[in-house]
Amino acid sequence: MKVQLQEKLEDIIRQPYMFELILDEDPEQNVYEEFDVNVVKSTLGKLNWKLVTVISLQIIDDVYYGLFKHGGEIIGWTAVRNSHYVHPKRMEPAKVDIEKFNAHELNSKVMGSMDMIIELRGRLFSSKSYIEVGDERLELLFLKGNLRGLVKTEHLQKGVFVKHSTMIKADAPRYRDSNFSVQLPPKEEDFEARVIQVFPGLNIAKLKHGKSEFWMRTQEMEKDLKETGLVIPPLTEDAHQHYIGERQKTKAIIDALLRRQIQLEKEADNAKKRLKRIETLYNNLKSSKLGKIQVKVWERRKRRGK
């Protein structure tokens, strides 16, 4: 087992929390029933190399087993030995520098046979996490919540979130998108807009005026953003970001377990053993730090309803 992965899994056993993996295991290894780790459900198969969420972890005969979720469905338990731990990070807007880019071999395994140059060229992505492969860090790029590629940090142009106001000339060139492919008509008079994103390396910015958002070249704006000290922070794991993401996922998992519990109750005698296991899993999740927070939120809402 990879040393870095083992250290992470040991930490999670001591203080459980949900996390993500890119699976890199034997596709022929077993996947076991979510409520009965002694019952084989299927083999890993095509789910290998997928980005999955692990909602519970246990050790059996010195082997780590993760209960994982993919595509909105709880799949089951499988052994975790060589997979890639996904480090959460502060979300950053990112564009790929195609002139520098060369696709890491992991893309062909995770993303399939797609042409990565075509897929990544010109698009504006969200970078929310990264993996470590040897001495390299690959950032996971998402578009509308879907993973679109894994790119080295040095091949990215990062955006910075800002809150600055600036005056815009009525005839200053404005564009609908970050590629400047659709130019917007000029305004009748100068106006004030709020700068919300800046790409220092590309000299472009995203602005907002009223409910409308648009893109401009920074040199077309009245305010010199170079004076605002824009700095791209180093790539580091962000525990706060992980906490927010985990809290959002916890409610969905608890809801899914409750629905499954109700279904098993209806199946009566044949489900008694599995029902006991699901109740244990639900109670463990409910009594976790994040589960307690969610329960308090529900209780407050219930009191308000009265």
Side-chain angles (χ1 to χ4, degrees):
M1 174 179 281
K2 301 171 183 175
V3 174
Q4 186 229 37
L5 176 62
Q6 184 171 357
E7 290 175 349
K8 283 291 183 182
L9 298 183
E10 288 174 354
D11 288 343
I12 294 166
I13 286 290
R14 287 193 293 268
Q15 188 173 354
Y17 60 85
M18 287 186 288
F19 61 100
E20 290 184 319
L21 290 175
I22 290 180
L23 292 175
D24 181 5
E25 306 295 341
D26 180 355
E28 298 301 316
Q29 74 181 29
N30 290 333
V31 175
Y32 300 91
E33 285 282 352
E34 58 266 46
F35 307 121
D36 193 342
V37 77
N38 296 309
V39 177
V40 176
K41 183 177 183 179
S42 62
T43 56
L44 197 56
K46 293 182 179 180
L47 288 172
N48 201 35
W49 292 112
K50 297 298 183 183
L51 175 64
V52 303
T53 299
V54 179
I55 63 177
S56 188
L57 191 68
Q58 63 177 314
I59 302 176
I60 301 175
D61 296 331
D62 295 326
V63 176
Y64 289 93
Y65 286 82
L67 175 60
F68 71 99
K69 178 176 175 286
H70 178 70
E73 179 184 356
I74 298 175
I75 306 299
W77 296 88
T78 199
V80 177
R81 299 181 178 90
N82 302 301
S83 296
H84 303 277
Y85 180 85
V86 177
H87 300 263
K89 60 179 282 291
R90 181 180 52 84
M91 198 283 282
E92 297 173 292
K95 293 173 77 73
V96 179
D97 188 337
I98 294 297
E99 298 303 318
K100 296 180 180 178
F101 174 72
N102 56 75
H104 192 279
E105 61 181 13
L106 220 58
N107 278 284
S108 61
K109 297 176 179 178
V110 177
M111 305 307 302
S113 59
M114 67 171 60
D115 187 321
M116 297 307 299
I117 298 292
I118 293 175
E119 180 65 28
L120 301 176
R121 183 188 298 275
R123 289 183 167 178
L124 179 61
F125 298 97
S126 295
S127 173
K128 299 186 291 185
S129 51
Y130 66 92
I131 62 173
E132 295 182 337
V133 183
D135 59 354
E136 295 181 315
R137 287 184 171 184
L138 304 178
E139 298 193 35
L140 279 62
L141 302 184
F142 293 83
L143 188 64
K144 297 180 179 179
N146 297 314
L147 179 62
R148 304 314 302 161
L150 299 92
V151 179
K152 297 177 186 178
T153 301
E154 56 265 32
H155 295 163
L156 294 174
Q157 290 284 357
K158 299 285 192 68
V160 181
F161 291 104
V162 295
K163 292 181 180 179
H164 297 306
S165 294
T166 185
M167 290 301 298
I168 306 296
K169 295 290 185 181
D171 60 351
R174 298 176 297 112
Y175 300 86
R176 184 179 297 170
D177 58 86
S178 61
N179 292 330
F180 292 5
S181 57
V182 179
Q183 187 167 350
L184 299 172
K187 293 280 191 179
E188 294 181 358
E189 58 185 20
D190 297 354
F191 63 98
E192 186 178 50
R194 184 160 53 93
V195 186
I196 55 180
Q197 277 182 38
V198 179
F199 282 76
L202 299 175
N203 293 319
I204 63 174
K206 185 178 184 180
L207 300 93
K208 187 170 186 177
H209 175 65
K211 295 183 178 180
S212 301
E213 295 182 348
F214 56 92
W215 290 82
M216 293 183 67
R217 293 183 175 85
T218 53
Q219 57 266 35
E220 298 286 350
M221 302 182 329
E222 182 182 86
K223 187 166 187 174
D224 186 358
L225 293 175
K226 292 180 181 178
E227 297 177 358
T228 61
L230 297 176
V231 177
I232 303 295
L235 180 64
T236 56
E237 186 169 304
D238 189 333
H240 178 67
Q241 186 67 32
H242 179 88
Y243 177 85
I244 294 172
E246 186 180 351
R247 182 176 177 182
Q248 292 171 340
K249 293 172 186 175
T250 298
K251 181 180 181 300
I253 298 298
I254 290 178
D255 287 346
L257 290 172
L258 280 173
R259 289 194 297 272
R260 182 62 169 151
Q261 182 177 0
I262 292 171
Q263 178 185 345
L264 290 176
E265 286 175 343
K266 291 179 179 178
E267 293 175 1
D269 293 342
N270 293 335
K272 284 183 178 179
K273 291 184 179 179
R274 290 195 298 167
L275 179 57
K276 183 64 177 176
R277 291 187 178 93
I278 188 175
E279 286 175 344
T280 301
L281 181 59
Y282 168 70
N283 288 330
N284 289 343
L285 186 58
K286 182 179 176 183
S287 61
S288 70
K289 182 177 180 181
L290 292 173
K292 289 177 181 177
I293 291 173
Q294 187 61 56
V295 169
K296 289 180 180 178
V297 170
W298 286 333
E299 289 175 348
R300 285 199 297 269
R301 288 177 180 172
K302 186 176 180 181
R303 288 196 294 270
R304 288 196 206 106
K306 294 180 180 178

